[in-house]
Amino acid sequence: QRHRKLHQTNAPTYNHTYLSIYLSNAQKMHYSTSRRNNNRASPQAQLALLNLPSTTTVLSNVFNGTVNFTKRHPIPVSFYLLGLITALLGTGTVLTSTQRSQYNEIMNSVDTELEYRVSRDYQEAYQAWYGSKGWFTCDGMCERNKRIMEERKIVMEEVRAEGNNRVSDAKSVAGIFSTLGVGETRDSFWEYFNRGTKFAKRQSMWDALFMGMRKMGRDESWGEYALKMMMQVLMNFTFGMIMTLFIFVFSLWGIIRSYQPSLFEGLAFFLLAVSAGFATVATVLFGMFGTAGGAGFCVA
């Protein structure tokens, strides 16, 4: 009877424990089954589970935002489209046979050998003066070498000015809207553009180094480091492209003035060249930020 009472007392506890284990295993099986079903779900279902908008919704929002921005800011958008068309289709007018012959005749009259000779004489005089002067004093020999150096510098500047005037006369025959003027402007822009990209790459390399060193002493994941690095690279390229555009604009007027255009031609070419540079820089930055945003959306 005592054994029977103990068995009756422990039986409900045993059944309750067995039932708890059974329910726990059933919940685990249900969780694993639902997880496998979620992994095999369609991309649309996965986006719904992550609470992310679909691709169609994103494209629709981008299109509507572009239309609304165009309506609110028609002048910048028109300036951008003008520059984009100019950058893609603006090649300049081809020189006629008469213009080319006059251009070549004036360019052949430039005495490059004389410019080289006077430049070499000036460098020799400068080296002689630099070698004869002291730290804070200049004796008689030094003063003599200095006078010779200054005289040869004046001669060199006069010869260079004469050569630059003849080159400017040759350019005036071609015109600022010719293939020569447009080509020189393009070369100037891409030269500054390459400098801006080199600056951004060099700055991003140093940022990656120092940000990686700071990461060693912090509790942050590689994903956070990659996100910070991507934002830093975008900032560096943005600064480099903006700097490129400003330097190009400041140097542009010197190129235009060398072709001796009229006031209207100079202002028209300046406007078209600035719009083309602005459109190129803006397109590059839009592409970079769009690529970064698309990559972040795909990763998410």
Side-chain angles (χ1 to χ4, degrees):
Q1 292 178 356
R2 186 182 301 172
H3 179 70
R4 187 179 301 171
K5 290 181 180 180
L6 291 173
H7 179 70
Q8 292 177 355
T9 305
N10 295 331
T13 304
Y14 173 76
N15 293 334
H16 179 71
T17 304
Y18 179 77
L19 181 62
S20 300
I21 295 173
Y22 175 78
L23 292 176
S24 177
N25 292 333
Q27 290 176 355
K28 291 180 180 180
M29 292 177 62
H30 176 72
Y31 174 75
S32 61
T33 303
S34 62
R35 187 174 182 181
R36 285 197 301 270
N37 293 333
N38 291 334
N39 291 333
R40 281 186 258 175
S42 61
Q44 291 79 8
Q46 292 180 2
L47 290 176
L49 291 174
L50 293 174
N51 198 19
L52 293 175
S54 62
T55 306
T56 306
T57 305
V58 172
L59 294 177
S60 177
N61 292 334
V62 170
F63 178 77
N64 294 330
T66 303
V67 173
N68 294 330
F69 181 83
T70 303
K71 291 180 180 179
R72 291 195 303 268
H73 308 281
I75 296 178
V77 174
S78 301
F79 190 71
Y80 170 77
L81 294 177
L82 175 64
L84 194 62
I85 295 173
T86 303
L88 294 175
L89 303 179
T91 57
T93 58
V94 181
L95 297 180
T96 62
S97 58
T98 304
Q99 288 178 326
R100 185 167 294 277
S101 61
Q102 292 178 357
Y103 175 81
N104 292 331
E105 181 181 358
I106 298 174
M107 289 298 293
N108 292 331
S109 65
V110 178
D111 195 350
T112 56
E113 295 182 358
L114 178 61
E115 291 187 11
Y116 173 76
R117 188 166 59 253
V118 296
S119 298
R120 185 186 58 188
D121 294 341
Y122 168 73
Q123 290 297 329
E124 292 177 355
Y126 177 82
Q127 292 296 332
W129 167 74
Y130 188 82
S132 61
K133 74 182 186 70
W135 284 94
F136 303 102
T137 59
C138 187
D139 55 6
M141 181 63 70
C142 173
E143 292 292 339
R144 174 179 172 276
N145 293 334
K146 183 178 180 181
R147 286 194 302 270
I148 295 175
M149 185 260 302
E150 291 176 349
E151 291 174 359
R152 292 184 179 180
K153 183 178 180 181
I154 294 173
V155 174
M156 181 188 68
E157 291 177 350
E158 291 178 353
V159 172
R160 285 185 176 180
E162 178 65 22
N164 292 334
N165 291 333
R166 292 190 180 184
V167 172
S168 180
D169 293 337
K171 289 181 178 181
S172 66
V173 174
I176 186 61
F177 283 98
S178 63
T179 53
L180 294 176
V182 175
E184 184 177 356
T185 306
R186 285 179 181 271
D187 293 340
S188 175
F189 174 79
W190 288 118
E191 180 182 359
Y192 292 121
F193 185 87
N194 291 330
R195 292 182 183 179
T197 54
K198 288 180 180 179
F199 166 80
K201 292 177 182 178
R202 184 169 57 252
Q203 191 68 25
S204 299
M205 180 188 67
W206 288 111
D207 289 337
L209 177 62
F210 288 110
M211 289 177 67
M213 294 174 62
R214 289 196 299 267
K215 179 188 177 300
M216 297 179 183
R218 296 181 180 180
D219 187 14
E220 63 179 10
S221 63
W222 285 103
E224 294 175 346
Y225 170 75
L227 180 61
K228 291 181 180 179
M229 193 61 220
M230 182 181 68
M231 296 302 298
Q232 193 66 35
V233 169
L234 292 176
M235 290 177 60
N236 291 335
F237 272 90
T238 301
F239 181 75
M241 294 298 100
I242 294 176
M243 180 179 65
T244 294
L245 182 61
F246 275 99
I247 296 176
F248 169 71
V249 170
F250 282 120
S251 65
L252 180 60
W253 189 249
I255 298 175
I256 296 175
R257 190 173 57 181
S258 65
Y259 284 83
Q260 303 178 13
S262 62
L263 180 60
F264 177 76
E265 283 183 335
L267 291 177
F269 188 86
F270 181 82
L271 177 64
L272 292 175
V274 171
S275 65
F278 169 76
T280 304
V281 170
T283 303
V284 172
L285 292 179
F286 288 159
M288 292 184 63
F289 278 91
T291 303
F297 179 79
C298 293
V299 170

